[in-house]
Amino acid sequence: MWNVAIKRKLLIKIGNLPMKVQMLFADLKMDLELKGPEQPGWMNYSKLGNNKYHCHLNYHYVACWQVEADNTLTLEVYYVGSRENAPY
């Protein structure tokens, strides 16, 4: 199992997203915990390089995550929001 870390500030932002997007993110979080950072089953999944990944939750929203440098099976989700503002 992977530990998926989400900072408090991001949790607040996720709580302000539409409920359907929140539910999709919950599904993604579960997949990340069970299967790790590689998620080819998610829409528009891609590796961004240097242990960073992203996928679309739906047409308008994306999630980005990275594997922590210490390789202790920890992922950090660092962005969930509109694809127009995605940090890639």
Side-chain angles (χ1 to χ4, degrees), residues 48-67:
L48 301 174
N50 292 343
N51 295 325
K52 292 187 176 186
Y53 307 83
H54 100 291
C55 73
H56 287 219
L57 298 173
N58 64 16
Y59 182 77
H60 296 289
Y61 293 95
V62 300
C64 301
W65 61 94
Q66 65 187 8
V67 176

Side-chain angles (χ1 to χ4, degrees), residues 9-46:
K9 187 176 176 180
L10 186 57
L11 283 174
I12 293 169
K13 184 176 179 179
I14 292 168
N16 292 327
L17 295 174
M19 185 57 67
K20 194 169 197 172
V21 176
Q22 290 181 45
M23 291 170 49
L24 287 168
F25 176 72
D27 290 343
L28 174 62
K29 182 178 181 286
M30 187 180 306
D31 282 348
L32 290 170
E33 289 171 346
L34 296 173
K35 301 174 188 171
E38 302 281 334
Q39 295 295 324
W42 281 84
M43 180 174 33
N44 294 337
Y45 161 80
S46 68

